[in-house]
Amino acid sequence: MKAMDEDAVKVLIIDDEEDIREGCRRSLSRGECEVLTAADGAEGLSVLEAESPRVVFLDLKMPGMDGMEVLAMIRETAPACLVIIMTGFATVESAIMAMKNGAYDFIAKPFEPEQIRLVAGRALAHIRVVRRAEELKRERERTLADLGTEQSRVAAILESLPNGVVVTNAFGMVVLMNSVFQRLFAGGVPLTGQDHISRYIDNADFCLWINSISTGVFMTDGKIPSCELQVPGNGFFLARGQHVLSAEGECLGAVVTLTDITDLKTFDQMKSEFVSKVSHELRSPLTAICEQLSMVDEEAGDAMGEENRGMVRRARDKTGALISLIGDLLDLQRIEGGAEFSQPREVEPAGLLSAMVDFLRARAQAQGVSLELALPPESLPILYADPTALESIYGNLITNAIKYTGSGGHVTVTVSVPDAGGLRVAVTDDGFGIEKKHLEKIFDKFYRIKDDKRRFIVGTGLGLSIVRQLVDGLAGAIEVTSQPGVGSTFTVTLPAKNQVAAEDA
């Protein structure tokens, strides 16, 4: 057997499909890679700890520990490791989120051997650049100004990268760029002097971000956020940066890579348009079917027989669930597009909550659940928000509490004023409760807990995701505490009108 090259880069493939793992092994073993494989996230993290691979190809959709959890663990334990997401077109939104959370690149399934070799080649080229940058940092007498004289030595590596690369000094002045950045942002004109980054990318948020990296603002916690920007005429880019440090640990500037994510944005827009069109086309006929089933149940009554009547009611309930799903999808699309709940005004919370509890009490009683509202003796602060947004937040929480509390249970909506001001509303039930392992995921889209108690409860898995996005949009916070078999409490804290005004001032 041929001995493995000492300079070979270790590459780890984490995917639950054996065909993909072996296909990747065959494609990459021909190059300068030593290929390792793992069938799930837990095994992958074990291999990561034992072998310290430099590149990880990671599937997003796996049973057990999913790709996003594995990515977070890799970023925490091996931040220098380059993670490349393997995703289908149906998970494009997750791929974008993964790149914002630190993934280096992505490749769409299904892919050809040449495609994965090309993506791996980009990562290997990036590793060579990083190695060279580390060598430069170890040269104690070097500064970023000297980096200009090194262009002839690193040019070949920089030019092999498919992404734009730019290096700035501590004042945000550009001292080095590759030809991709030059073509996209400098009009093809080579760098002849030191100009501020704003000369090339006239985006205030991006310039502030890159200046913060250049001056070492993020060195305290070591976490540098990514920056997404739209460049007129060029599309959308995801920028990721890193400090350039001297041997003494002084921040000398920043190195930034810009990845074109225009195609990802296009796919995301296509998905949104598809969801909107299909949802609108389905809502009317489904509503008609639901109404007709209700009419059959009411008019035919006992004449149908108990078994047939039960089937009609189940069909009606399932149709109603589909209508609710369509409504939630449309609400979620409008929220993410920034077009929903954008008409804020003064809201008196006691009246709004009293009306909502009165309206939902009939539903609770039909399920054998008591619903109570506990208001404090003192007056409540005025909120400044879109009333529809507040109704959606509190309505989803109260409805969920009723839904997941068995007959004979209790749901209480408790209102209070925190010491720091604002309004706190806690929805407490003594229902099924939630295991700790689910608490961080229940706000994800379409996430539903599946067990014997909940299997027959109709739901979309979108309600809590909508609640969190609306609460975040109102500069509020939501917390959940729960114990299986005891119950749950969802607490929403929102700023009062005077606090919102102070933040905007």
Side-chain angles (χ1 to χ4, degrees):
M1 181 180 292
K2 183 179 177 180
M4 183 63 65
D5 188 345
E6 291 183 358
D7 293 329
V9 176
K10 291 183 179 180
V11 176
L12 172 60
I13 312 297
I14 305 177
D15 197 296
D16 59 321
E17 295 182 46
E18 184 178 358
D19 290 343
I20 290 181
R21 296 197 303 273
E22 291 305 313
C24 292
R25 183 198 294 276
R26 290 193 298 270
S27 299
L28 298 179
S29 295
R30 303 173 186 174
E32 54 184 292
C33 302
E34 176 186 350
V35 182
L36 312 167
T37 62
D40 56 45
E43 182 184 357
L45 292 175
S46 298
V47 175
L48 181 78
E49 181 178 0
E51 300 291 341
S52 300
R54 296 297 303 273
V55 180
V56 174
F57 282 81
L58 176 62
D59 184 23
L60 275 184
K61 299 296 183 182
M62 295 184 292
M65 185 182 296
D66 65 23
M68 296 299 284
E69 292 179 83
V70 177
L71 173 62
M73 293 294 293
I74 294 175
R75 297 301 300 161
E76 181 178 346
T77 59
C81 183
L82 301 183
V83 180
I84 299 171
I85 297 298
M86 297 188 292
T87 177
F89 288 134
T91 56
V92 168
E93 183 178 3
S94 297
I96 295 175
M97 183 61 66
M99 292 187 71
K100 289 182 179 180
N101 289 343
Y104 172 72
D105 204 347
F106 82 102
I107 182 171
K109 293 181 181 180
F111 47 77
E112 298 294 331
E114 193 58 38
Q115 292 174 298
I116 194 170
R117 283 195 287 268
L118 177 63
V119 174
R122 297 175 189 166
L124 297 179
H126 178 85
I127 290 172
R128 289 192 291 269
V129 171
V130 171
R131 285 176 176 171
R132 181 56 186 158
E134 291 172 350
E135 292 173 4
L136 292 175
K137 288 195 296 181
R138 285 193 291 267
E139 297 177 11
R140 303 180 64 88
E141 300 301 324
R142 292 289 188 184
T143 65
L144 272 182
D146 298 326
L147 195 58
T149 64
E150 294 292 327
Q151 288 190 34
S152 60
R153 299 171 58 184
V154 300
I157 296 175
L158 285 176
E159 297 311 311
S160 69
L161 293 173
N163 302 326
V165 180
V166 61
V167 181
T168 64
N169 63 17
F171 304 101
M173 309 296 287
V174 176
V175 297
L176 185 64
M177 66 174 71
N178 70 348
S179 61
V180 177
F181 184 92
Q182 177 182 312
R183 172 174 52 83
L184 290 173
F185 305 106
V189 179
L191 182 68
T192 56
Q194 292 190 7
D195 291 307
H196 194 267
I197 186 66
S198 59
R199 175 183 179 274
Y200 303 99
I201 301 179
D202 186 16
N203 182 295
D205 291 338
F206 173 77
C207 292
L208 177 62
W209 173 79
I210 202 170
N211 282 337
S212 297
I213 300 175
S214 300
T215 54
V217 169
F218 300 111
M219 290 179 61
T220 304
D221 57 12
K223 297 179 180 179
I224 302 176
S226 59
C227 179
E228 187 177 314
L229 67 150
Q230 181 178 9
V231 180
N234 284 336
F236 293 87
F237 290 85
L238 181 66
R240 289 189 291 258
Q242 190 58 260
H243 303 295
V244 177
L245 305 178
S246 68
E248 294 76 21
E250 178 187 2
C251 185
L252 301 176
V255 56
V256 174
T257 61
L258 292 107
T259 303
D260 191 341
I261 58 170
T262 304
D263 289 342
L264 285 174
K265 285 289 188 179
T266 302
F267 286 140
D268 194 47
Q269 179 63 28
M270 291 170 61
K271 180 205 69 175
S272 297
E273 292 175 356
F274 174 78
V275 168
S276 178
K277 183 173 180 61
V278 171
S279 298
H280 282 293
E281 292 294 332
L282 288 176
R283 173 179 273 180
S284 295
L286 283 173
T287 301
I289 292 171
C290 190
E291 291 175 352
Q292 290 169 4
L293 288 170
S294 296
M295 187 179 301
V296 170
D297 181 31
E298 292 174 2
E299 294 185 358
D302 297 331
M304 289 189 295
E306 192 63 29
E307 183 178 354
N308 290 332
R309 193 172 192 181
M311 288 191 294
V312 169
R313 287 179 174 176
R314 284 196 295 274
R316 179 196 61 195
D317 292 342
K318 292 295 184 181
T319 306
L322 286 174
I323 295 171
S324 296
L325 173 60
I326 290 171
D328 286 345
L329 284 172
L330 292 173
D331 285 346
L332 195 62
Q333 181 189 23
R334 286 191 289 265
I335 293 169
E336 291 178 341
E340 180 74 312
F341 310 131
S342 56
Q343 298 179 351
R345 60 177 181 267
E346 292 185 358
V347 178
E348 198 280 301
L352 181 140
L353 288 167
S354 296
M356 292 191 65
V357 168
D358 289 342
F359 175 74
L360 293 171
R361 186 170 283 118
R363 178 183 295 189
Q365 290 173 347
Q367 195 170 313
V369 175
S370 68
L371 175 60
E372 301 298 333
L373 173 64
L375 293 171
E378 69 269 19
S379 61
L380 298 176
I382 298 297
L383 300 180
Y384 188 71
D386 191 314
T388 309
L390 298 177
E391 290 173 358
S392 182
I393 292 170
Y394 301 132
N396 269 301
L397 295 179
I398 298 172
T399 300
N400 275 357
I402 297 171
K403 187 188 303 183
Y404 295 105
T405 299
S407 179
H410 307 274
V411 175
T412 303
V413 181
T414 306
V415 186
S416 61
V417 179
D419 293 338
L423 183 76
R424 178 182 294 141
V425 177
V427 180
T428 303
D429 65 68
D430 54 6
F432 303 149
I434 304 169
E435 293 183 55
K436 186 177 180 180
K437 65 181 181 180
H438 296 298
L439 290 180
E440 292 184 0
K441 299 179 181 180
I442 57 176
F443 293 99
D444 294 345
K445 298 173 190 173
F446 301 107
Y447 187 83
R448 297 199 66 207
I449 302 171
K450 298 178 181 179
D451 56 26
D452 291 339
K453 294 180 179 179
R454 297 172 173 86
R455 60 184 300 186
F456 296 112
I457 297 177
V458 177
T460 65
L462 286 173
L464 289 178
S465 176
I466 292 173
V467 168
R468 167 160 279 181
Q469 293 197 52
L470 289 174
V471 170
D472 289 344
L474 294 173
I478 182 168
E479 300 175 345
V480 56
T481 58
S482 187
Q483 186 175 343
V486 176
S488 306
T489 297
F490 286 81
T491 304
V492 173
T493 304
L494 297 177
K497 179 186 177 184
N498 58 341
Q499 292 175 305
V500 174
E503 291 176 1
D504 293 340

